[in-house]
Amino acid sequence: MKARRPATRFFGESCSALLYSSFRSPPTLKPPGRALVMMQAPVIGAITPSAANPQAALGLFAIASTAQTPLAYAPIGSLGDPSSPAFQSLVGSLITALYYQLLATPDVLGRTHGHSPFDNRNTTYTMGTPAVPVPALVPIIQGMIAASNQGVRRYDITLDAQNYLERYYVPTGNLKIPVMSVHNFWDPLVPFFHEPAFASTVASAGASDMLLQRGIPNYGHCNFPTPLVVSSFQTLASWVTTGVKPTS
């Protein structure tokens, strides 16, 4: 039997699958090309309460609270306030995940000859860290996530696609030179959970002495201030020059 890849391997695909099971009237998402704005209107429309769906925003909280699709957001203000950085960054994270899923999937499919690189056939979507404005919503969101397992779109990876990903996309962790990563805690494109996952892979390869990871309490993807970029490069250069791994 072939092994199944975890759904979190393709974060955007999981978000897309759950989108269709979380909303009564899921938005139609067309390939956006380079125009991110084309993604914004249908997603914002889907999460905006209306007479037909007064609790539309609960779908957003359900996706963000799912262990397999945690959406990053800046913990500033209340998720119950649409004008807050918390709510706006949460919406931005969903739009970003869906946008890059539509943008990048054709490229991956081209490399796997059109065969599915994603597998959630045996995935049970579960409650993770609640992303809700008030604790009273937790059991409601938990129920929505449990119910999504009945209607979520299911995909089955093919053996050749799995072999391709294992050969070309899955890091071995066998680091031969010093590697330093700088990663925002609340990254909407590459979730921070990749850092402990990569650290575990590197440790299994016996190369932890070649990896230094820094987490930055900021929202965004690679939007680092210049002083941080410079200091990080200097840290890496010093490590290479002296042979002494920094402590942090």
Side-chain angles (χ1 to χ4, degrees):
M1 293 179 64
K2 63 183 179 181
R4 299 289 178 184
R5 282 287 170 212
T8 49
R9 181 71 65 184
F10 281 79
F11 177 68
E13 198 76 53
S14 287
C15 288
S16 179
L18 287 178
L19 181 72
Y20 285 87
S21 64
S22 296
F23 295 101
R24 297 179 186 176
S25 301
T28 299
L29 304 178
K30 298 180 180 180
R34 295 181 180 275
L36 182 59
V37 69
M38 293 179 65
M39 180 66 69
Q40 296 174 346
V43 173
I44 292 176
I47 66 173
T48 300
S50 64
N53 189 8
Q55 296 184 317
L58 293 184
L60 171 65
F61 300 141
I63 294 175
S65 301
T66 301
Q68 292 75 21
T69 59
L71 295 179
Y73 64 93
I76 304 173
S78 170
L79 286 173
D81 178 6
S83 66
S84 72
F87 184 86
Q88 292 185 6
S89 59
L90 185 66
V91 174
S93 290
L94 178 58
I95 292 172
T96 298
L98 295 172
Y99 171 72
Y100 278 95
Q101 181 261 328
L102 287 177
L103 190 68
T105 296
D107 177 70
V108 179
L109 287 174
R111 299 169 189 270
T112 59
H113 305 290
H115 298 162
S116 175
F118 173 70
D119 194 311
N120 68 342
R121 199 171 89 170
N122 296 320
T123 298
T124 299
Y125 292 97
T126 56
M127 184 79 167
T129 302
V132 295
V134 292
L137 286 177
V138 170
I140 298 175
I141 297 300
Q142 193 167 18
M144 292 178 65
I145 295 172
S148 72
N149 286 291
Q150 303 303 316
V152 69
R153 288 187 176 184
R154 297 292 178 176
Y155 301 85
D156 186 14
I157 194 171
T158 60
L159 184 58
D160 59 334
Q162 177 177 313
N163 290 338
Y164 182 86
L165 294 182
E166 289 177 344
R167 183 175 179 85
Y168 297 109
Y169 276 72
V170 181
T172 65
N174 188 22
L175 304 180
K176 300 298 185 182
I177 60 175
V179 173
M180 179 178 177
S181 68
V182 182
H183 203 145
N184 283 332
F185 286 146
W186 311 300
D187 188 322
L189 181 57
V190 182
F192 192 79
F193 62 67
H194 285 274
E195 290 295 335
F198 184 57
S200 177
T201 299
V202 172
S204 296
S208 295
D209 59 332
M210 287 294 176
L211 177 64
L212 176 64
Q213 296 172 295
R214 286 182 174 174
I216 309 301
N218 190 30
Y219 177 84
H221 179 69
C222 292
N223 57 336
F224 306 118
T226 300
L228 176 60
V229 175
V230 172
S231 65
S232 298
F233 180 79
Q234 290 174 334
T235 297
L236 179 60
S238 175
W239 181 7
V240 172
T241 302
T242 65
V244 179
K245 179 182 176 179
T247 56
S248 62

